[in-house]
Amino acid sequence: MTELRNVEQEIDQFRVRLIVAALVVLCCFGLLLARLFTLQVIKFDELTTQAENNRIAVVPIVPNRGLIVDRNGVVLADNYSAYTLEITRSQLEDDLEQVIDQLGEVIEIQSRDRRRFKRLMGDSKSFESIPIRTKLSDEEVARFTAQRYRFPGVEIKARLFRNYPYGELGGHVLGYIGRINQREKDDMADWSDEDQANYRGTDVIGKLGIEQSYERDLHGTTGFEEVETSAGGHPVRRLRSEPATPGNTVRLSIDIKLQALIEELFGTRRGALVAIDPRNGEVLAFVSKPGFDPNLFVGGIDQDSWKELNESLDKPMLNRALRGTYPPGSTYKPFMAMAALVTGKRTAGQVIYDNGFFMFGNHRFRSHGDGGLGAVDMTRSIVQSSNVYYYGLANDMGVDLIHDQMDLYSFGRKTGIDLEGESTGDLPSTEWKRNKYKRPEQKRWYAGETISLGIGQGYNNFTMTQLASAMATLVSGGQRFEPRVVREIENVVTRERRTVSSHAVSPLDLKPEHVAVIRRAMHGVTQTGTSTRVFAGAPYQSGGKTGTAQAVGIRQNEKYNASKLADYQRDHSLYTAFAPLDEPRIALAVIVENAGFGAEAAAPIARRVLDYVISGVYPTPEDIAIVQKGHGSAPIGAGLPVASVPLPPTRAAGVDAESTAASAAASALVFPASAASAASAPASAPGPAAPPTPAGPAPAVTTAPTAPTRPFRWVPRRMPDPVPPAPVAGASRSTP
């Protein structure tokens, strides 16, 4: 059978198939060309950047943290470098605990190191390295390096550590640095891109005090290094780098030698002192006792030390000068007297009869002592500290007028000091009470509650920063400043200095004759009044006011007996002072908690501070020992020239603060004068305010020679933590 074939039809089909195949090939080549065009032209810049990023690693260079120095250039905070052993959990091949156990066979890892590591884990991500040991010795570094192949995910890094050479001295004003926690990282998310970039590679941040308030100045500018890497991520060569810029040097207005003297005068007692220059608002001393050693927080504080600090009833972590609030007691009376003159409620010569008590309805408000003072005018009411005079004055003024007058001195609100965390305290008024309490009967202001306000009791609660600032305003004739702890900031590269001036607030309109009345009355306190014995023989004229404030209330028919009360229930001892009389260069407020009569505990400390600043005299060791016991009056002995007394011994950089703490209580901050040490110590007495230092090369920073003596460390006291009863209306008591 013959097959018939249609040749033309087959040729046509072949042509169609050929055309389809050609079109498919052309489409494929078109797609390849399109992709090639996209990669080579459209995405050229993007892909080139990615390639470079894969080839080049940008490593941040963390800057050196800036120094903190006192007004004379003495270094209070610096840095040192040390090796740390760090673990990156995401890179571990074995169980974490097993790795730590194996590391312990090579390098000593104590239980406190493990606890600190576990605590830091909670604030870190798995890809972040966490130190398991800090401050490794050269021998330990060599031992680990020889066996590094056994520990993937573990490496040795060189890090900078903060060092506070004087340990506890000035701890509250300096603050400390610590590892950035998750809350702080969340806060950083709201920063600008530039600020966030500046903290890449940075693990620590200021937590309290100057370290926190001036964090941006102290941190510096982060640098970077571009490193070419291999396919395995290993560095091959450095392409370019930009060095980090160290943080600025922050110079304080505080004199560290004066600070050391005041802290030594307190001894183991609790309290606070703030001294301010009324002419410019500079803070000369800022003391809170007990304190803490900021070195404990460098690298992460261990659990035992944190528990000891955090759970102690003495609350060493509480900045009493900034956040502790207390009734001002009789130190409030000069302000009440000025308010009376301004409002016309009293004249300086108006006489009030003090019979020893003040009756308001059925309530008997007692004065100090068993009898009255008789006829008293305004001057005698301050010199002899008449309670009856100010009971009546408070009743005549009323709570809201008192509030309006005291608000002018920053009572009940922040002073604006350049330290974060300041408390506002409580300056009562009818509106304040309505906002303070919830129940209707609590919101109402009762007339009897006004009486105690006149002697600094009742709802009055203020900080020592507020009291010192108010005293500076009063004795300067109404000139007001926001207190400043930092004097100037120096750029370490350009040596340019920026003065941090206290912000001047509009002055109060106080009449000079009214200011003169208050000054003369407070001077009388030191001559014939309640602090006469303490200021006997002073080579300068000063003013002051003693105060004794209730820690707990007593009933109307009871008498105060300190011997029958526990230590924490006894009255607080207060004193405010200024000097010289006509042109004050210093105003201060001091409180010694539960120490009783103001002239016995607080006033002797104030006298030594004024001697230091005005006369340039440092008390003798024997005199300091007596003041520490609360038995001081006028200074014993001639004292020593301030310039001849050396600075306290420093703690060597890198020395473990925890290991040195055990014997720290044996050291003292008062040292015999010696020619050798005196030569290296700067003159520390502030004296008259120095003019701002002009910009230019900075003088050499002075630092005390390192000594093996260990710093003073406060030893916590253990006692029950009672809840004191609320004060009883009409039971206010204030001792001069």
Side-chain angles (χ1 to χ4, degrees):
M1 182 175 181
T2 303
E3 180 180 354
L4 297 177
R5 299 175 58 189
N6 190 337
V7 177
E8 291 186 3
Q9 183 179 1
E10 290 182 358
I11 292 174
D12 291 339
Q13 290 178 352
F14 175 77
R15 288 173 178 171
V16 171
R17 293 190 189 115
L18 184 62
I19 293 172
V20 171
L23 291 175
V24 171
V25 171
L26 287 175
C27 289
C28 290
F29 273 102
L31 292 174
L32 289 174
L33 289 173
R35 182 60 177 166
L36 184 62
F37 179 81
T38 301
L39 296 176
Q40 294 292 334
V41 179
I42 298 176
K43 294 188 175 182
F44 176 80
D45 293 335
E46 178 184 348
L47 296 177
T48 301
T49 302
Q50 291 182 9
E52 286 297 307
N53 289 340
N54 291 334
R55 184 178 69 90
I56 300 173
V58 179
V59 181
I61 303 175
V62 180
N64 289 356
R65 197 168 179 85
L67 302 180
I68 302 176
V69 301
D70 84 334
R71 68 186 296 124
N72 298 308
V74 180
V75 176
L76 307 180
D78 57 10
N79 312 291
Y80 67 94
S81 60
Y83 291 108
T84 63
L85 183 66
E86 305 197 7
I87 298 175
T88 304
R89 288 168 288 162
S90 62
Q91 299 178 6
L92 295 180
E93 296 180 357
D94 297 324
D95 178 70
L96 175 62
E97 291 297 331
Q98 182 180 350
V99 171
I100 295 177
D101 291 338
Q102 292 173 352
L103 284 172
E105 299 173 359
V106 180
I107 295 177
E108 181 184 8
I109 298 178
Q110 300 181 6
S111 57
R112 72 183 183 191
D113 297 322
R114 292 173 180 263
R115 291 194 298 267
R116 180 168 51 196
F117 179 83
K118 290 180 179 179
R119 184 174 60 82
L120 292 175
M121 282 174 54
D123 295 330
S124 305
K125 294 181 172 61
S126 61
F127 57 83
E128 296 177 333
S129 63
I130 304 175
I132 183 68
R133 260 293 309 277
T134 59
K135 306 166 192 172
L136 300 177
S137 65
D138 292 340
E139 180 183 351
E140 289 175 321
V141 172
R143 283 205 308 267
F144 174 79
T145 303
Q147 302 190 48
R148 192 199 179 298
Y149 67 92
R150 295 174 49 196
F151 303 102
V154 183
E155 60 183 338
I156 286 180
K157 291 186 178 181
R159 289 185 180 269
L160 284 174
F161 289 89
R162 200 64 160 164
N163 178 54
Y164 302 93
Y166 294 100
E168 282 191 12
L169 180 56
H172 278 289
V173 68
L174 294 176
Y176 64 90
I177 64 170
R179 195 174 181 89
I180 301 175
N181 58 37
Q182 190 58 49
R183 179 183 59 81
E184 291 162 337
K185 290 177 182 178
D186 294 339
D187 293 339
M188 287 181 175
D190 297 329
W191 292 6
S192 66
D193 293 341
E194 182 180 356
D195 288 338
Q196 290 186 48
N198 195 38
Y199 273 76
R200 287 175 185 165
T202 301
D203 295 326
V204 297
I205 196 170
K207 299 288 186 177
L208 290 175
I210 296 296
E211 295 280 22
Q212 179 186 29
S213 301
Y214 286 84
E215 166 65 29
R216 301 297 178 91
D217 290 292
L218 290 167
H219 179 266
T221 304
T222 300
F224 68 89
E225 187 175 68
E226 288 186 355
V227 180
E228 185 177 6
T229 59
S230 65
H234 300 292
V236 176
R237 62 191 176 97
R238 184 174 65 182
L239 300 177
R240 71 186 183 97
S241 66
E242 182 175 317
T245 303
N248 297 327
T249 296
V250 174
R251 186 180 296 267
L252 309 185
S253 59
I254 287 174
D255 177 0
I256 198 60
K257 193 185 293 187
L258 174 60
Q259 184 90 6
L261 169 62
I262 298 170
E263 293 194 17
E264 183 69 3
L265 290 170
F266 270 94
T268 59
R269 297 175 295 178
R270 305 177 303 279
L273 182 146
V274 178
I276 297 176
D277 189 334
R279 300 168 299 176
N280 52 30
E282 288 187 355
V283 177
L284 306 178
F286 193 88
V287 174
S288 176
K289 291 288 289 181
F292 64 92
D293 186 354
N295 291 296
L296 290 171
F297 295 89
V298 176
I301 189 171
D302 69 285
Q303 187 175 5
D304 291 339
S305 297
W306 175 248
K307 183 177 181 181
E308 179 180 326
L309 291 173
N310 199 42
E311 295 183 2
S312 169
L313 298 178
D314 280 344
K315 296 179 172 57
M317 294 300 295
L318 171 64
N319 189 334
R320 286 169 162 81
L322 191 69
R323 296 188 56 80
T325 57
Y326 309 89
S330 292
T331 62
Y332 205 50
K333 292 175 181 176
F335 300 98
M336 286 292 297
M338 177 59 77
L341 294 173
V342 170
T343 59
K345 294 296 183 179
R346 295 286 189 277
T347 62
Q350 186 174 348
V351 175
I352 303 296
Y353 189 80
D354 181 350
N355 60 358
F357 61 89
F358 180 85
M359 293 298 299
F360 185 84
N362 296 326
H363 292 282
R364 182 186 180 99
F365 291 84
R366 292 185 297 261
S367 188
H368 55 82
D370 295 328
L373 297 175
V376 294
D377 60 4
M378 182 171 288
T379 298
R380 191 161 184 256
S381 73
I382 294 176
V383 173
Q384 299 298 324
S385 199
S386 169
N387 283 355
V388 171
Y389 185 96
Y390 292 96
Y391 286 145
L393 176 59
N395 187 48
D396 291 345
M397 291 184 66
V399 60
D400 288 330
L401 183 57
I402 294 174
H403 172 275
D404 294 343
Q405 287 296 309
M406 297 306 169
D407 177 71
L408 300 174
Y409 297 93
S410 294
F411 286 123
R413 55 188 173 90
K414 295 182 179 180
T415 63
I417 191 171
D418 54 341
L419 293 175
E420 295 187 22
E422 181 182 10
S423 293
T424 59
D426 292 313
L427 179 63
S429 67
T430 52
E431 181 181 1
W432 169 87
K433 196 177 183 187
R434 283 196 300 269
N435 297 330
K436 179 81 172 178
Y437 297 99
K438 296 181 179 180
R439 297 203 301 267
E441 63 273 16
Q442 292 177 314
K443 290 176 174 289
R444 179 184 174 188
W445 185 270
Y446 298 93
E449 295 174 320
T450 305
I451 309 302
S452 297
L453 301 181
I455 62 168
Q457 293 287 171
Y459 292 109
N460 287 322
N461 273 292
F462 311 124
T463 67
M464 289 303 104
T465 300
Q466 290 173 327
L467 193 56
S469 178
M471 180 56 58
T473 298
L474 180 64
V475 301
S476 66
Q479 191 174 15
R480 295 189 295 176
F481 293 96
E482 292 182 349
R484 282 292 177 270
V485 177
V486 172
R487 199 176 196 187
E488 62 184 16
I489 297 174
E490 178 184 349
N491 187 302
V492 297
V493 177
T494 64
R495 296 299 182 186
E496 180 182 354
R497 294 185 177 186
R498 171 168 57 90
T499 301
V500 183
S501 302
S502 298
H503 178 63
V505 185
S506 56
L508 300 183
D509 186 19
L510 302 180
K511 294 182 179 179
E513 57 269 26
H514 291 168
V515 176
V517 170
I518 304 302
R519 282 185 181 177
R520 286 197 305 269
M522 294 186 71
H523 177 57
V525 173
T526 68
Q527 301 302 303
T528 60
T530 50
S531 61
T532 303
R533 291 178 54 209
V534 175
F535 282 85
Y540 51 85
Q541 291 186 322
S542 68
K545 185 68 191 80
T546 54
T548 308
Q550 291 176 254
V552 296
I554 61 172
R555 297 189 181 279
Q556 188 170 348
N557 297 322
E558 293 179 349
K559 284 190 175 183
Y560 174 78
N561 188 339
S563 62
K564 294 183 178 180
L565 296 174
D567 174 75
Y568 57 86
Q569 293 180 320
R570 296 172 184 172
D571 290 345
H572 301 314
S573 175
L574 296 99
Y575 196 78
T576 54
F578 69 93
L581 183 64
D582 296 327
E583 296 180 357
R585 302 203 312 260
I586 180 174
L588 64 84
V590 55
I591 184 170
V592 184
E593 291 185 8
N594 310 119
F597 184 34
E600 293 178 353
I605 296 177
R607 166 70 193 271
R608 275 70 179 173
V609 174
L610 297 185
D611 285 353
Y612 182 105
V613 175
I614 305 301
S615 302
V617 175
Y618 202 100
T620 63
E622 295 78 12
D623 184 51
I624 291 176
I626 292 176
V627 174
Q628 288 177 339
K629 297 177 181 178
H631 303 313
S633 55
I636 297 175
L640 305 168
V642 167
S644 70
V645 179
L647 292 165
T650 58
R651 165 188 176 275
V655 175
D656 193 341
E658 297 152 11
S659 64
T660 62
S663 60
S667 68
L669 295 178
V670 179
F671 311 94
S674 63
S677 57
S680 64
S684 300
T693 307
V701 173
T702 306
T703 180
T706 301
T709 309
R710 291 166 178 166
F712 172 81
R713 184 173 188 243
W714 160 81
V715 178
R717 301 179 304 113
R718 299 291 179 183
M719 63 179 69
D721 191 11
V723 178
V728 179
S732 298
R733 165 184 47 77
S734 179
T735 308

